[in-house]
Amino acid sequence: MNWELIFGQITWNSFVFAGAIENPSLSEFIASGAGTVAVLGALASVILLTVKRWWVPLWRDWLTSVDHKKVGIMYIVTALVMFARAVIEGALMRAQQLSAVDNSGFLSADHFGQLFSTHGTIMIFFVAMPFITGLMNYVMPLQIGARDVSFPLLNAISLMLTIAGAILIMVSLVIGQFSTGGWTAYPPFTGIHFSPGQGVDYWIWAVSLGSIGSTLTGLNFAVTIYKKRCPGMTLFRMPLFCWTTLCTSILMIFAMAPLTAATIMLALDRYAGFHFFTNGAGGNMMNYANLFWLFGHPEVYILILPAFGVWSEVVATFSSKRIYGYTSLVYATMCIAVLSFAVWLHHFFTMGQSANVNAVFGIATMVIGVPTGVKVYDWLLTMVGGRIRFTTPMLFHINFLLTFILGGMTGVLLANPGIDFQVHNTLFLVAHFHNMIIPGVLFGMFAAVQFWFPKAFGFRLHEGLGRASFWCFAPGFLLAFFPLYWLGMMGATRRTYMWTDPAYLPWLALAMAGAVLILTGFALMVTQIVVSVRRRAELAAPLGDPWDGRALEWSIPSPPPDWNFAVLPEVSSRHPFYEAKKAGTAYRSPTAYEDIEVPRNTATAPLIGLFACAWAFGLVWHIWWLVVVSFVLMWAVVIARSFASDTEEIIPAATVKAANEAFLAAVRATPGVTRDQEMTAANRGRAVPESLEGGAGVLSSGATVGVSR
């Protein structure tokens, strides 16, 4: 038997367990332990699905679904699973740096290099991206009054390509090693001469799959917003979250392409002997730096803009006010989106371009802070005079305002090329980047989960555990990253696995304490979800409006039906549901119902994802028969789908009417709750509008209110 023909470059030594057996050390034992956890986790999942007999519902109701809501939930679950790995890796790095003052610590240099590479790659491409994509998937169609996205199957394919990339990174825990080239994978270090083996190839194909999926998502969401808005929903009547989704989608379309081009060109350098980025034969690594950061800085805003949309929804809802400065927030969002393509060079001020070029990009970087500042002032002014409820999402928002402003100030400092030269490649830069992404994006997504969880699942999350999680995350972030500013000014360089200066020790200890708090916060968040599921009867809010919401998503049951709206809504204002509640028309029965057409479930997307993952794995390990077979099968699925004609199913009007009238009857039979009752068992999802509390407008169980849907 020709082993290499069948298994490519995989040998016994390729498995992570071989290192612990042949070269026992604490670093190898940790690597083997991580691989063991991955294997046991996969086995435990298989056993659980088998024992509970969940394979059929998992396949029928989820993996083959093209419903935007289920696709969005699967994106977010993927993000949370990958976050668990990434946050543990971050804590390991902090522990290594703390233990490696005047000694080598407990991790090898190569293992540490893999950790910071996987940590960054996972957090950007497989935590932040699927998190924001999942949230936009779930919320945006509901807010614009649509029944689904424009291309439901393409949406599911995008998800499966992202999952395929995530699986590839998880497989690297067990078979082979990951890249040590960081999340940016700069050549020539990531070229075949300096990084032989499979590590960089894992990075290339995982990122390429995720990048293609994100490009398709951007196209899908942009078309959905342009073409699927309900009657009366003009662009300037859209909720701000939809505006940030639109701008993010456009950024995805144009920014992901340079990344895909860069990864493919790097692959050609490694596989086919091309010289795009090599030191000789006409190559130039600066081509890679420009392509990567032409993606990389818009990527920052791809991540942060949806979070800005979340903050706009959260601050208005929990201040019991309409958002201040809607129009200015829209224009600020558009300005940020445009300017994000004009600042990429500030990531390499030190790489040899002229002072004049640096000055132009430095000024552009400072200018982009102006529309961001407009947003901050609008959020603050929304809170002024409002009835602020310090719920978990609002606590995250207030923490975001404080920490994001500080991070933005350090960004203005780094926009000065003279200052950047002094702190470039130090922990100061690491602190700044995390200071923007964690409060801005990650905490924004955590707030979004707390905010829209009742809409997705029909019950609220446990508020006490949510606040406990926040009170670990907030100080944990400050302790983990603010000491890095000082360490950076002391000269501590990034990506360093050991130190010789004992003055770093107390600051590293503070950072380690912060990492422990962040881990604790994540553990509490998982506990919150588990406890909430067990107590879902007590926390139930099936009537759809637990927070006195303003937009259309709060006007329908929780969780929403497959068709979202029994009758497509017609709107005439920016706050249609809130205005309808005030007018007493929020839950009015439609005059007529019609059959509704929805897309059928299909195995196309999961099969494409499966074959894409196998194709990429074959490329990593040079298993050429697997590459060919997977590629052929992947396109065979696409071609077979093109011949399918029965791709839609009809929901009869009688079914829609029965479900909707039952929902409306439940609303009418349930007393409305005030904001003071928001966190009690009385909150079943029928909110009394803030403006009607305490007066004749307070809703009783006998009141007939309701919405023209």
Side-chain angles (χ1 to χ4, degrees), residues 54 153 262 520 605:
W54 287 343
L153 177 58
T520 306

Side-chain angles (χ1 to χ4, degrees), residues 400-635:
F400 154 75
L401 288 175
L402 296 172
T403 53
F404 190 78
I405 289 169
L406 294 173
M409 291 168 64
T410 62
V412 173
L413 290 175
L414 289 168
N416 184 322
I419 295 175
D420 185 85
F421 264 76
Q422 300 303 311
V423 297
H424 185 76
N425 236 23
T426 70
L427 290 178
F428 188 96
L429 184 61
V430 175
H432 161 72
F433 182 71
H434 286 82
N435 201 165
M436 305 304 289
I437 295 300
I438 292 181
V441 180
L442 195 61
F443 288 176
M445 294 304 102
F446 291 166
V449 168
Q450 306 285 332
F451 186 58
W452 277 295
F453 190 94
K455 175 53 57 184
F457 296 102
F459 59 94
R460 294 174 286 112
L461 286 171
H462 189 282
E463 181 67 11
L465 286 169
R467 294 186 186 190
S469 175
F470 165 80
W471 286 113
C472 288
F473 275 124
F477 160 74
L478 295 173
L479 285 173
F481 294 103
F482 272 56
L484 304 192
Y485 283 120
W486 187 245
L487 283 166
M489 289 189 286
M490 293 170 69
T493 52
R494 65 195 300 194
R495 300 171 181 157
T496 301
Y497 91 106
M498 62 179 294
W499 317 95
T500 57
D501 190 343
Y504 295 168
L505 192 59
W507 304 104
L508 292 168
L510 284 175
M512 184 67 228
V516 171
L517 275 175
I518 290 173
L519 276 172
T520 306
F522 181 64
L524 284 170
M525 188 170 70
V526 173
T527 303
Q528 178 196 29
I529 294 172
V530 172
V531 170
S532 300
V533 169
R534 291 180 174 177
R535 297 173 59 179
R536 58 188 178 276
E538 175 187 338
L539 298 167
L543 304 183
D545 182 29
W547 315 127
D548 189 20
R550 293 173 171 268
L552 291 175
E553 75 266 31
W554 306 111
S555 69
I556 57 178
S558 296
D562 292 344
W563 52 85
N564 290 349
F565 298 91
V567 176
L568 289 181
E570 295 184 18
V571 303
S572 57
S573 71
R574 289 176 183 161
H575 310 282
F577 181 51
Y578 189 78
E579 299 296 335
K581 286 189 291 185
K582 286 171 57 180
T585 61
Y587 299 104
R588 183 175 293 167
S589 293
T591 55
Y593 293 91
E594 297 179 353
D595 293 348
I596 296 175
E597 191 176 76
V598 297
R600 289 186 185 276
N601 288 8
T602 172
T604 301
L607 288 177
I608 288 175
L610 174 65
F611 295 138
C613 188
W615 174 76
F617 183 79
L619 283 168
V620 169
W621 289 101
H622 296 196
I623 308 173
W624 301 118
W625 68 265
L626 182 61
V627 172
V628 173
V629 171
S630 299
F631 186 80
V632 170
L633 288 174
M634 182 165 48
W635 284 102

Side-chain angles (χ1 to χ4, degrees), residues 178-179 189-190 195 197-205 266 270:
F178 199 74
S179 171
F189 179 76
T190 52
S195 296
Q198 296 74 34
V200 177
D201 298 329
Y202 268 124
W203 182 91
I204 287 172
W205 300 117
L266 182 58
R270 291 177 58 84

Side-chain angles (χ1 to χ4, degrees), residues 33 55 67 74 124 142 166 175 220 259 264 307 327 364 385 475 478 586 616:
W55 282 109
D67 183 347
M74 286 188 282
I124 295 297
L142 296 177
I175 307 175
N220 203 348
L259 174 66
I264 292 173
T327 304
L478 295 173

Side-chain angles (χ1 to χ4, degrees), residues 311-323 382 550:
W311 297 130
S312 296
E313 299 292 330
V314 165
V315 70
T317 300
F318 293 111
S319 296
S320 300
K321 284 179 61 180
R322 68 177 59 204
I323 192 74
T382 300
R550 293 173 171 268

Side-chain angles (χ1 to χ4, degrees), residues 76-114:
I76 292 172
V77 170
T78 301
L80 289 173
V81 170
M82 298 305 287
F83 179 69
R85 175 180 170 182
V87 75
I88 291 170
E89 289 177 335
L92 265 178
M93 286 189 288
R94 286 286 164 264
Q96 162 64 20
Q97 289 181 321
L98 177 61
S99 67
V101 178
D102 276 335
N103 67 80
S104 60
F106 59 89
L107 294 178
S108 67
D110 191 63
H111 192 175
F112 185 81
Q114 290 181 63

Side-chain angles (χ1 to χ4, degrees), residues 97-346:
Q97 289 181 321
L98 177 61
S99 67
V101 178
D102 276 335
N103 67 80
S104 60
F106 59 89
L107 294 178
S108 67
D110 191 63
H111 192 175
F112 185 81
Q114 290 181 63
L115 284 176
F116 70 66
S117 299
T118 52
H119 174 79
T121 302
I122 289 171
M123 286 300 297
I124 295 297
F125 296 108
F126 298 104
V127 174
M129 284 299 289
F131 224 142
I132 64 116
T133 305
L135 185 66
M136 293 188 294
N137 239 307
Y138 196 96
V139 175
M140 177 269 291
L142 296 177
Q143 289 195 332
I144 64 172
R147 292 212 165 95
D148 210 318
V149 294
S150 289
F151 310 112
L153 177 58
L154 190 68
N155 196 26
I157 291 172
S158 300
L159 165 69
M160 292 304 167
L161 291 176
T162 301
I163 292 176
I167 289 172
L168 208 60
I169 289 187
M170 297 303 283
V171 168
S172 72
L173 276 174
V174 181
I175 307 175
Q177 296 182 338
F178 199 74
S179 171
T180 58
W183 79 277
T184 55
Y186 274 175
F189 179 76
T190 52
I192 195 67
H193 296 295
F194 292 97
S195 296
Q198 296 74 34
V200 177
D201 298 329
Y202 268 124
W203 182 91
I204 287 172
W205 300 117
V207 169
S208 295
L209 290 173
S211 175
I212 293 169
S214 295
T215 304
L216 299 177
T217 294
L219 290 165
N220 203 348
F221 287 177
V223 173
T224 300
I225 291 176
Y226 287 137
K227 296 294 186 180
K228 287 278 193 175
R229 301 191 309 277
C230 66
M233 179 71 74
T234 63
L235 288 174
F236 274 84
R237 285 177 182 166
M238 292 196 307
L240 283 162
F241 183 79
C242 294
W243 268 108
T244 59
T245 298
L246 176 59
C247 290
T248 298
S249 302
I250 295 170
L251 290 180
M252 282 180 171
I253 295 168
F254 290 101
M256 303 310 292
L259 174 66
T260 307
T263 57
I264 292 173
M265 291 162 76
L266 182 58
L268 288 171
D269 275 7
R270 291 177 58 84
Y271 284 81
F274 282 44
H275 295 282
F276 290 115
F277 309 129
T278 56
N279 284 327
N284 186 343
M285 71 80 54
M286 286 306 299
N287 292 332
Y288 181 91
N290 278 281
L291 280 172
F292 185 87
W293 288 113
L294 192 55
F295 144 80
H297 204 81
E299 167 70 1
V300 173
Y301 296 100
I302 287 172
L303 300 180
I304 203 75
L305 285 179
F308 284 172
V310 171
W311 297 130
S312 296
E313 299 292 330
V314 165
V315 70
T317 300
F318 293 111
S319 296
S320 300
K321 284 179 61 180
R322 68 177 59 204
I323 192 74
Y324 182 90
Y326 172 94
T327 304
S328 64
L329 283 165
V330 170
Y331 285 121
T333 301
M334 290 192 282
C335 286
I336 290 171
V338 172
L339 288 172
S340 69
F341 283 102
V343 297
W344 82 89
L345 193 134
H346 71 216

